[in-house]
Amino acid sequence: MGVNKNKKSQAIKAISLSIGLSVMGSMSAASAADDQALLNMCKACHGNDGSSEFASIPNLKWQNTAYMVKQLEQFKSGQRQDKTMTKVAKILNKKQMEALASYFNKGKEE
């Protein structure tokens, strides 16, 4: 009887681990999709490689990464104001800001 209980316990642990890994994998896929959606939102105005087609929207291509992160943080905190960028920055976390800044710093189209 003790052996069956031990096997049952191991099976439950294995199932729990499997479910946990599946959830984590889904979260990673969802996170990647969210990150791509954020990048696409930025590209809509700033261009695929950071070269904006609009005179009123700054080019981000090859811009300093730390500078871009600082600007996003200032939009998020309200230190800097723009009707669109303030709203966009408020939905970004620091990691996303850094990833977006890195992308545009490279100045490459996907």
Side-chain angles (χ1 to χ4, degrees), residues 28 30 41 46 54 58 62 69 75 77 79 84 96 100 109:
S28 295
M41 181 174 60
H46 292 284
F54 308 99
W62 300 318
V69 170
F75 281 123
S77 72
Q79 290 176 305
T84 302
Q96 291 166 326
L100 292 167
E109 289 191 38

Side-chain angles (χ1 to χ4, degrees), residues 14-28:
I15 291 169
S16 296
L17 179 61
S18 177
I19 290 170
L21 292 174
S22 294
V23 169
M24 286 175 56
S26 297
M27 288 171 54
S28 295

Side-chain angles (χ1 to χ4, degrees), residues 32-57:
D34 291 345
D35 290 347
Q36 186 61 48
L38 289 171
L39 178 59
N40 289 341
M41 181 174 60
C42 296
K43 287 178 174 182
C45 296
H46 292 284
N48 286 336
D49 67 351
S51 300
S52 173
E53 296 179 18
F54 308 99
S56 62
I57 298 173

Side-chain angles (χ1 to χ4, degrees), residues 12-13 21 24-27 30 35 48 53-54 64 83-84 86-87 89-90 94 97 103 108:
I12 290 171
K13 286 179 185 177
L21 292 174
M24 286 175 56
S26 297
M27 288 171 54
D35 290 347
N48 286 336
E53 296 179 18
F54 308 99
N64 179 282
K83 187 171 80 173
T84 302
T86 299
K87 292 175 187 173
K90 287 188 184 218
K94 177 88 174 204
M97 290 178 186
Y103 172 86
K108 297 178 185 175

